[in-house]
Amino acid sequence: MTERNIQIESVNRLAVEDQGVEIVERKGLGHPDSICDGIAESVSRALSNLYLDRVGHVLHYNTDETQLVAGSAAPKFGGGEMLEPIYVLIVGRATKHYVDEDGTEYDLPVDAVALAAARDYLRETIPELEVGTDIVVDARLGEGSGDLRDVFGEDGTVPMANDTSFGVGHAPLTETERIVLEAEQALNGRYAAKHPEIGPDIKIMGKREGDRIDLTVAVAMVDAYVEDMAAYQQAVDDVQAFVADLAAEYTDREVHVDVNTADDYDEGAIYLTTTGTSAEMGDDGSVGRGNRSNGLITPNRPMSMEATSGKNPVNHIGKIYNLLSTEIAHTVVEEVDGIRDLRVRLLSQIGRPIDQPHVADVELVTEPEVEVGDIEADIAAIVDRELAAVTDITSRVIDGELRTF
């Protein structure tokens, strides 16, 4: 049986839910940084499937350096136009030529697959963007190594960590975290389905001060569906009411919602776009500058600076351990009672099997009546179980089951 270095510790601090000030942010699907995250991860999944289909296993690649250069547009009520296209550059490394143990050679259409995946993602996520005209996608993928069979865990072996790095996760979500996450997803989901005037570039900043939660919502309105200033103001009011009602489902605290606070109606300066994203208006984007792997930006919590999207899902710790630590944190809280606040840190050591981290550290704040010693064994058993199944993360990422941003 594998002996793993699992440490459980109680800390004398306030749970985030009980702290005086809490800040939470989410950049929605159409934000320039999120566009880069989404493209990078779509390309990553497409390359994984290409390698699985052609070779039988995932080869070496990383596409986590995708960049977006903003275009320019001339929005106007009833429909404006793009003046300069947005430019996206897919950057990274990928194995394009491979020779297997039998000497069979494979030339792999990496660039074509990457470009197709990126374009498909854009058409699905930002339908107002005409791919090829409003946005141009290019790929510059250097040659990756084709001889990393041992590192990548062939024949059922556990892959070796590609780096000495760490991942971090936490649970449960606070009320503010849940509201920010659910509000953006609802706006870009069921609300947008009935309100085409809102674009997918939605950013929500939540601030809780004591028992008051303030939500600042920025929504890019799509000009083709907004006929005049009155219609724009109504769209803003409708978003405000929707988010306020949604927040009330998750908290009894006082909630205030402000939408598009930079608008100046008298000057006609409003958040009106042609495509539904600020990427048309001078906002550039990069992978890893937005949401962490749990979908949020949480300065009250420890966070990894690693970009999760685009990294290979086989042995890249910057991806695997951030996803796994988040999974562990939520699983522990679901299965063990009495936990007020929990943080998981997983540290790798390069060349070490990924199911055997250098340390797996669990820090928790318990309910007043709960002693850490009473639940320590249960927590350690769950952490050990999840680490033993770490390779499941790879297949779940490739299948699109796990969020990376």
Side-chain angles (χ1 to χ4, degrees):
M1 182 176 179
T2 301
E3 290 286 340
R4 297 185 174 89
N5 183 14
I6 300 172
Q7 303 295 324
I8 314 293
E9 56 180 324
S10 176
V11 292
N12 184 24
R13 65 166 172 81
L14 287 175
V16 174
E17 189 74 83
D18 302 324
Q19 294 174 13
V21 174
E22 180 186 5
I23 298 170
V24 182
E25 180 182 6
R26 175 163 170 81
K27 295 178 178 179
L29 294 178
H31 187 283
D33 292 331
S34 296
I35 292 173
C36 291
D37 284 329
I39 288 175
E41 188 60 17
S42 293
V43 170
S44 173
R45 291 177 55 207
L47 290 180
S48 288
N49 282 303
L50 169 68
Y51 294 142
L52 288 169
D53 291 342
R54 299 288 184 90
V55 181
H57 53 266
V58 178
L59 300 177
H60 181 257
Y61 75 86
N62 283 303
T63 60
D64 58 339
E65 300 293 340
T66 297
Q67 303 287 316
L68 181 149
V69 181
S72 64
K76 66 178 181 179
F77 292 124
E81 60 183 349
M82 288 290 294
L83 302 176
E84 297 179 29
I86 301 164
Y87 176 73
V88 172
L89 180 61
I90 302 167
V91 182
R93 297 276 162 180
T95 304
K96 300 180 180 181
H97 182 76
Y98 181 73
V99 182
D100 67 15
E101 292 178 343
D102 299 326
T104 303
E105 296 190 23
Y106 299 85
D107 287 309
L108 301 157
V110 165
D111 291 77
V113 167
L115 289 169
R119 290 163 180 160
D120 287 346
Y121 177 80
L122 287 166
R123 291 187 184 102
E124 179 181 349
T125 308
I126 313 178
E128 297 299 327
L129 268 179
E130 185 175 327
V131 178
T133 303
D134 297 337
I135 185 166
V136 176
V137 184
D138 195 4
R140 289 291 184 270
L141 295 172
E143 181 70 24
S145 297
D147 57 355
L148 297 177
R149 295 175 66 96
D150 292 337
V151 173
F152 267 51
E154 299 275 324
D155 301 324
T157 61
V158 176
M160 304 297 177
N162 78 314
D163 194 7
T164 301
S165 188
F166 71 92
V168 60
H170 68 267
L173 295 183
T174 65
E175 289 181 352
T176 308
E177 289 170 338
R178 179 58 59 83
I179 289 168
V180 169
L181 183 63
E182 297 291 341
E184 186 278 328
Q185 292 180 326
L187 285 171
N188 258 324
R190 66 179 188 271
Y191 188 87
K194 296 181 179 179
H195 296 268
E197 68 273 10
I198 74 165
D201 192 349
I202 298 168
K203 187 173 86 167
I204 302 180
M205 182 69 75
K207 182 205 72 171
R208 178 184 57 77
E209 194 169 352
D211 281 329
R212 169 175 168 142
I213 298 173
D214 289 281
L215 301 172
T216 303
V217 184
V219 181
M221 299 295 180
V222 180
D223 57 10
Y225 304 100
V226 182
E227 62 183 15
D228 53 27
M229 185 63 79
Y232 177 89
Q233 291 179 273
Q234 185 62 55
V236 168
D237 291 343
D238 289 345
V239 170
Q240 191 276 336
F242 177 81
V243 174
D245 288 344
L246 182 145
E249 299 175 13
Y250 295 96
T251 186
D252 293 326
R253 290 179 164 114
E254 179 183 0
V255 178
H256 292 259
V257 181
D258 294 301
V259 180
N260 292 359
T261 55
D263 287 349
D264 186 331
Y265 294 151
D266 292 336
E267 296 294 329
I270 56 176
Y271 196 4
L272 192 67
T273 69
T274 298
T275 62
T277 172
S278 60
E280 72 170 42
M281 305 171 72
D283 284 355
D284 303 320
S286 298
V287 173
R289 293 183 64 244
N291 310 320
R292 301 300 88 193
S293 61
N294 66 353
L296 295 168
I297 302 166
T298 51
N300 287 66
R301 311 273 196 175
M303 294 186 292
S304 168
M305 294 301 293
E306 290 271 10
T308 304
S309 299
K311 287 180 168 65
N312 84 67
V314 176
N315 76 329
H316 205 306
I317 291 304
K319 187 184 207 100
I320 296 168
Y321 273 12
N322 277 302
L323 293 171
L324 181 60
S325 60
T326 299
E327 290 286 295
I328 289 174
H330 285 285
T331 301
V332 169
V333 168
E334 288 172 5
E335 297 186 15
V336 180
D337 294 331
I339 298 174
R340 181 73 173 153
D341 194 304
L342 181 141
R343 179 188 71 188
V344 176
R345 295 182 297 180
L346 302 177
L347 173 65
S348 70
Q349 190 175 56
I350 190 168
R352 189 178 180 129
I354 62 173
D355 68 338
Q356 299 175 40
H358 208 35
V359 68
D361 175 60
V362 180
E363 176 189 283
L364 64 153
V365 177
T366 60
E367 299 289 355
E369 69 278 5
V370 176
E371 295 291 335
V372 173
D374 296 335
I375 59 177
E376 183 175 359
D378 292 336
I379 294 172
I382 294 170
V383 175
D384 190 69
R385 182 187 76 204
E386 296 296 315
L387 283 168
V390 63
T391 54
D392 290 348
I393 293 289
T394 299
S395 58
R396 294 175 66 193
V397 168
I398 294 172
D399 291 342
E401 294 179 15
L402 294 180
R403 180 205 340 259
T404 61
F405 68 100

